[in-house]
Amino acid sequence: MTVIFSIVTGVLAGTLAGMFGIGGATIIIPALVYFLGLNQHQAQGTAIAALLPPVGLLAALRYYYAGNVIINIALWTSLGFFAGGLMGGVIAQPIPDLLLRRLFAVYLIAIAIKMLF
């Protein structure tokens, strides 16, 4: 059951990420926490590991072939993302699980409000 749920969650997250350019983690992390019972740290780490190959390659290639990737901006952004990912991973580890979950929720709400208005 976990395998099927994980695949379905991945398809949903990948579809939304490809359609809207969102981070698939906005789907994957809540699904892992609320449906598979992972704690926030486990869900975030698992989502990061799951997102590496597919989002970084397949969706980007589709946009590239359609002429919708600015290579120099993507490369510089990925360099910053590489360093920022390490920093975020280091910062997140000592944060208590409940606080980390709430910070993630505040982030999602803030983005949603900004996008809505």
Side-chain angles (χ1 to χ4, degrees):
M1 190 63 162
T2 300
V3 172
I4 293 170
F5 178 82
S6 298
I7 291 170
V8 170
T9 301
V11 168
L12 178 62
T15 300
L16 293 174
M19 285 175 60
F20 301 122
I22 63 167
T26 60
I27 302 297
I28 295 171
I29 291 171
L32 294 176
V33 168
Y34 294 111
F35 296 112
L36 292 186
L38 275 64
N39 68 42
Q40 189 70 21
H41 288 92
Q42 292 170 328
Q44 288 181 191
T46 301
I48 289 167
L51 292 169
L52 285 174
V55 173
L57 182 59
L58 299 178
L61 281 174
R62 295 302 305 160
Y63 278 89
Y64 176 78
Y65 292 142
N68 292 314
V69 174
I70 315 293
I71 295 292
N72 64 328
I73 294 173
L75 290 174
W76 287 113
T77 302
S78 70
L79 180 63
F81 193 72
F82 188 74
L86 173 61
M87 289 188 299
V90 168
I91 292 167
Q93 296 314 303
I95 297 174
D97 191 65
L98 181 60
L99 177 58
L100 190 61
R101 185 178 315 154
R102 288 181 176 160
L103 290 171
F104 181 68
V106 168
Y107 164 76
L108 293 177
I109 291 166
I111 295 300
I113 290 170
K114 177 69 175 162
M115 295 294 293
L116 188 60
F117 298 104

